[in-house]
Every structure is written in C-alpha cells, then in structure tokens.
Amino acid sequence: MFFLEVCCLLLVALLWGGTNPFLKKGTEGIEKVKTGNMVTQVLAEMKFLFLNYKYLMPFLLNQSGSVVYYFTLASTDLSLAVLLSNSLTFLCTLLTGKLLGEDIGGKQAVAGMVLTTLGVTLCVASSLTAEARR
C-alpha cells in the first residue's frame, strides 16, 4: 500500500510540475487583452485562457493532479504527502522548463535539485523504516 501511495504522489508531482511551464507558455499574449473596466477585463482574460488550448490542456492535466492528490491524502501520512508532492513538483517544473528551453538558473538550480532529491530520499527511507516497524 505504501508503494502505491508514493507512486500516486509521484504522479501528482509530475502532473503539477510538468504542466507549470506549459501553463506559463499558454498565457503568452494575455497582456494584449484590454477592455474598459476591471470586471470586463477579468472576463476577457478568462475567455482568452479557456479558449486557448495551449493553456486549457495543461490546466486540465494540472487539475487532474489535484484530484489524485485529494484522494491520496485519505490514506497517506500528511507529512509525507506534502513533502513528496511539493518538493518533487519543484523538480518537475525545473526539468520540464529546461526541456522547453527556459533558463533554470545554472549550477545553483542543479545543486538545489540534488539537495531536494537527497532530502526526499531520506524522508521516504525514514517513512519506509517506520512503516516496517508497524
């Protein structure tokens, strides 16, 4: 059961992190949407986003990650769920951004990814040890 929970949380991180750079790309051009007042501006921007498949597809995938996360929380230790999903989301965002040609910050970003991966590995190993004792 623990392995399935970790796999679900990895899926959440992939769905959240892997879609973030695509969401950013999908919003390109929204600054050109201009209307008279704040209410119509918000409506025009929402129309721009939800009629734009480059934004809508990553958005739906991102939200499906939220659904998986919600259902996984029912059976997972909260401290492990938050740690895995949020830290690995960061890694997935950086890696996906790099694959799309974004500047991810050089050596400091790579060092951060290595340290994050090491920390997550230690926490999962600790949880496995605690799970085995039960």
Side-chain angles (χ1 to χ4, degrees), residues 8 11-13 15-16 60-70:
C8 286
L11 176 63
V12 169
L15 289 170
W16 283 350
L60 293 173
L61 286 171
N62 187 289
Q63 293 307 301
S64 66
S66 297
V67 171
V68 173
Y69 183 68
Y70 175 77

Side-chain angles (χ1 to χ4, degrees), residues 69-116:
Y69 183 68
Y70 175 77
F71 285 112
T72 305
L73 283 180
S75 61
T76 307
D77 178 26
L78 188 60
S79 61
L80 180 66
V82 171
L83 170 80
L84 271 176
S85 58
N86 290 329
S87 60
L88 294 179
T89 294
F90 167 70
L91 291 176
C92 291
T93 298
L94 283 175
L95 293 173
T96 305
K98 182 66 175 173
L99 289 173
L100 293 176
E102 293 180 5
D103 179 24
I104 63 167
K107 292 178 184 178
Q108 290 178 334
V110 172
M113 287 190 284
V114 169
L115 291 173
T116 301

Side-chain angles (χ1 to χ4, degrees), residues 5-6 9 14-16 22-23 28 33 37 66 72 86 104 106:
E5 293 167 353
V6 171
L9 292 171
L14 285 171
L15 289 170
W16 283 350
F22 289 103
L23 287 168
E28 290 175 354
V33 176
N37 63 43
S66 297
T72 305
N86 290 329
I104 63 167

